[in-house]
């Protein structure tokens, strides 16, 4: 039984002094390289054909990620007739693209106001990778049954409780913080089953490299490296299970590193492995390739109409309607905000704050290029790792937690993670990008090993010895999501990346590169060749937050502390209209946001069930 302290903290300290931290792949014959359990997922499809959709439901959930998936499960468990509408397709393990050319076919690109690129609203919106390009920020999201969980880095990192001291959070939520951090987090953990990278697994080379970086940064900060370096809690399964807690088979992680391209083994605890099948087991119907355009309400009956397009192979562009008493938006920061903006155009009174407080969660990226140690910098295709057993490990295994340092404010805090891009980021493309940027914007942090660097280049080792740094931080900045003429959302964020914390983060990553005797390459979108070609000088984020921020009234926010949508700028709320995803988070969290989003969604659904007299939600599982 977990203690309250264990529930509240989602990072496990890594004892850098123990001998087990020096474990290498040669000291273990773990089954990572001996795949024995390979489920056939074809019989576990969740989506129903669109012809099965009914005219009306009790609850319609739009989106299926950390907000929508939770809303679907909890509504269905409360005995409601539930319909889930997801814009993307259903992906099963084994179907995700592992090659660059195949992944390119699954990219939908929207661009706005870039100086050397015409506006684009290209690509089928059902494609897996949804890339939104604006002058200040590039946003990458997942589109599919399970939302961005399909292509995220799995990290279940809890934001610091002091984040909730910011006055942008509604008082009722702050007064309920113990419930959020304990009960709601426990409900998420019970479903998503986060765990750390096991001690008896082979240690990927990047873990040893990150230990070196942590030791250097600890020396600079005069801190204990055991305090900084931690094994991250991950939404990853590390043991073979013929059936998990909701009846889905899951094999153990084999360390291929393709988490951000889609898990083809089935080891990743994505939302389609837990919350969504749980929703279906309790009677929910799930439909894919359904793009919701807007919601409207009949004021006489109180019934909501959800206006949608079904992107079938026939290319049917006729807008259709499905109705419900309750509509819950869980389509993500850009998706939920876009739906409300388009609904506002159709006459639905929405707060003038709609689109505001959009932020990138302080996300950034950097690289140590051509260091002295082998890293295995990129994911490995499934057939290759099954033969060799030499993978990079999960996308993230360890973090260097630079929060809670003495004398530092929230805006000075950040987390470094040992990232691994997937194999679908083609080796030639990735290798060329790093090689070119190392000459253009790279800072050679180690001055005395130019000959060694040159030799590694000649020997083709420069790319193999490169490490990716992923960053989350807590800047006090925000942009605004706006609706383009094409009806798609774009981010107006001219000052993205100009917070005081970013130069400090770059300095720490540069010190890390120096420790590994590599060339530090900063964010490729900042003062780089990419920046000059595209006109984009800003941030890359996979953690978009805000757009429908919480607030005490419609003057300060779009929704209240329970996700209920305000009627214009009043204190009144629309009866039966909710947002329960990252769009309602009013500021950066300083950590990978999925866990906090899920906790907030659990609280919203608990409140919703009470408000609508659904009775208590049964959170137990069948034995």
């Amino acid at each position: 039984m977990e203690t309250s302290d264990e529930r509240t903290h989602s990072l496990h300290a890594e004892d850098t002094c123990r001998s087990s931290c020096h474990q290498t792949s040669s000291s273990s014959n773990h089954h990572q390289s001996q795949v024995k359990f390979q489920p056939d997922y074809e019989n576990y499809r969740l989506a129903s054909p669109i012809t099965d959709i009914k005219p009306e439901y009790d609850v319609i959930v739009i989106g299926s990620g950390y907000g929508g998936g939770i809303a679907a499960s909890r509504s269905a468990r409360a005995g409601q007739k539930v319909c889930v509408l997801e814009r993307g397709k259903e992906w099963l393990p084994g179907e995700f693209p592992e090659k660059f050319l195949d992944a390119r076919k699954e990219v939908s690109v929207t661009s706005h106001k870039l100086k050397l690129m015409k506006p684009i609203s290209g690509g089928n919106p059902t494609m897996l990778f949804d890339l939104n390009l604006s002058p200040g920020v590039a946003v990458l999201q997942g589109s599919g049954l399970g939302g961005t969980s399909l292509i995220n880095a799995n990290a279940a990192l809890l934001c610091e409780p002091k984040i909730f001291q910011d006055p942008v959070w509604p008082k009722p939520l702050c007064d309920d913080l113990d419930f959020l951090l304990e009960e709601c987090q426990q409900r998420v953990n019970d479903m998503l089953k986060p765990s750390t990278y096991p001690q008896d697994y082979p240690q990927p080379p990047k873990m040893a490299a990150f230990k070196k970086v942590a030791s250097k940064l600890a020396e600079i900060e005069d801190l204990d490296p055991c305090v900084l370096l931690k094994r991250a809690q991950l939404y990853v399964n590390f043991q073979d299970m013929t059936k998990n807690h909701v009846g889905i088979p899951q094999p153990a992680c084999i360390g291929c590193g393709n988490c951000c391209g889609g898990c083809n083994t089935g080891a990743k605890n994505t939302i389609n492995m837990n919350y969504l099948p749980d929703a279906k087991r309790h009677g929910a119907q799930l439909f894919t390739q359904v793009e919701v355009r807007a919601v409207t309400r009949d004021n006489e009956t109180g019934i909501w109409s959800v206006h949608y397009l079904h992107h079938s192979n026939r290319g049917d562009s006729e807008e259709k309607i499905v109705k419900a008493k309750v509509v819950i938006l869980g389509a993500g920061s850009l998706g939920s905000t876009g739906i409300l903006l388009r609904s506002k155009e159709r006459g639905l009174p929405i707060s003038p704050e709609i689109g505001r407080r959009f932020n990138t969660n302080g996300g950034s990226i950097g690289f140590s290029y051509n260091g002295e140690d082998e890293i295995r910098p990129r994911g490995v295709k499934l057939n290759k790792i099954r033969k060799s057993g030499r993978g990079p490990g999960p996308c993230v295994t360890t973090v260097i937690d630079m929060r809670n340092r003495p004398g530092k404010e929230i805006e000075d805090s950040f987390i470094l993670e040992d990232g691994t891009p997937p194999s679908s980021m083609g080796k030639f493309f990735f290798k060329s990008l790093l090689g070119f940027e190392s000459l253009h914007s790279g800072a050679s942090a180690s001055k005395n090993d130019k000959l060694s660097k040159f030799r590694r280049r000649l020997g083709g080792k420069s790319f193999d010895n490169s490490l990716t740094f992923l960053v989350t931080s807590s800047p006090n900045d925000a942009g605004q999501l706006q609706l383009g003429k094409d009806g798609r959302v774009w981010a107006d964020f001219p000052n993205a990346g100009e917070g005081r914390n970013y130069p400090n983060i770059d300095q720490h990553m540069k010190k890390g590169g120096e420790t590994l005797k590599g060339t530090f390459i900063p964010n490729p979108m900042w003062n780089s060749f990419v920046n000059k070609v595209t006109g984009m000088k800003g941030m890359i984020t996979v953690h978009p937050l805000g757009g429908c921020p919480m607030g005490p009234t419609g003057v300060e926010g779009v929704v209240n502390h329970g996700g209920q949508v305000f009627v214009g700028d009043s204190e009144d709320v629309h009866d039966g209209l909710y947002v329960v995803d990252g769009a309602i988070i009013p500021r950066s969290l300083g950590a990978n946001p999925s866990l906090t989003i899920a906790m907030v969604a659990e609280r919203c659904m608990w409140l919703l069930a009470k408000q609508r007299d659904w009775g208590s939600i049964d959170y137990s599982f069948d034995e």
Side-chain angles (χ1 to χ4, degrees), residues 221-256:
E221 298 279 344
D222 193 25
L223 295 170
D224 183 352
C226 296
V227 173
L228 294 186
L229 185 67
K230 304 174 181 180
R231 291 200 179 203
Q233 290 274 8
L234 306 173
Y235 306 124
V236 178
N237 178 53
F238 292 105
Q239 61 180 6
D240 291 334
M241 292 189 295
T242 55
K243 285 189 177 181
N244 67 11
H245 54 297
V246 297
I248 305 297
Q250 286 193 267
C253 173
I254 61 173
C256 69

Side-chain angles (χ1 to χ4, degrees), residues 53-60 81-83 285 301 303-304 321-325:
I53 197 168
K54 297 177 174 61
E56 188 170 331
Y57 293 84
D58 296 327
V59 178
I60 294 175
K81 187 168 70 172
V82 178
C83 166
Q285 284 187 294
T301 64
I303 298 296
W304 290 92
I321 291 176
V322 58
K323 298 183 178 183
K325 302 169 187 173

Side-chain angles (χ1 to χ4, degrees), residues 23-36 200-203 389:
Q23 180 183 351
T24 63
S25 57
S26 62
S27 66
S28 173
N29 292 318
H30 196 275
H31 66 273
Q32 269 189 304
S33 60
Q34 302 172 3
V35 181
K36 301 176 183 177
D200 64 344
Y201 262 49
Q203 178 180 276

Side-chain angles (χ1 to χ4, degrees), residues 436-444 519-522:
F436 190 86
E437 287 297 343
S438 71
L439 299 175
H440 182 269
S441 60
S444 186
T519 298
F520 170 59
I521 301 173

Side-chain angles (χ1 to χ4, degrees), residues 392-406:
C395 178
V396 171
T397 58
T398 49
V399 302
I400 298 173
D401 193 348
M402 305 297 287
R403 301 177 294 177
N404 283 326
R405 290 173 292 158

Side-chain angles (χ1 to χ4, degrees), residues 316-359:
D316 187 358
S317 60
E318 179 185 352
E319 191 172 276
K320 298 178 176 63
I321 291 176
V322 58
K323 298 183 178 183
K325 302 169 187 173
V326 175
V327 173
I328 304 173
L329 302 185
S333 180
L334 274 63
S336 292
T337 304
I339 290 169
L340 288 186
L341 282 168
R342 293 189 293 270
S343 301
K344 186 176 183 179
E345 285 189 339
R346 299 193 187 196
L348 187 68
I350 300 292
S351 165
E353 290 295 293
I354 184 69
R356 296 190 183 276
R357 294 193 212 150
F358 169 75
N359 70 86

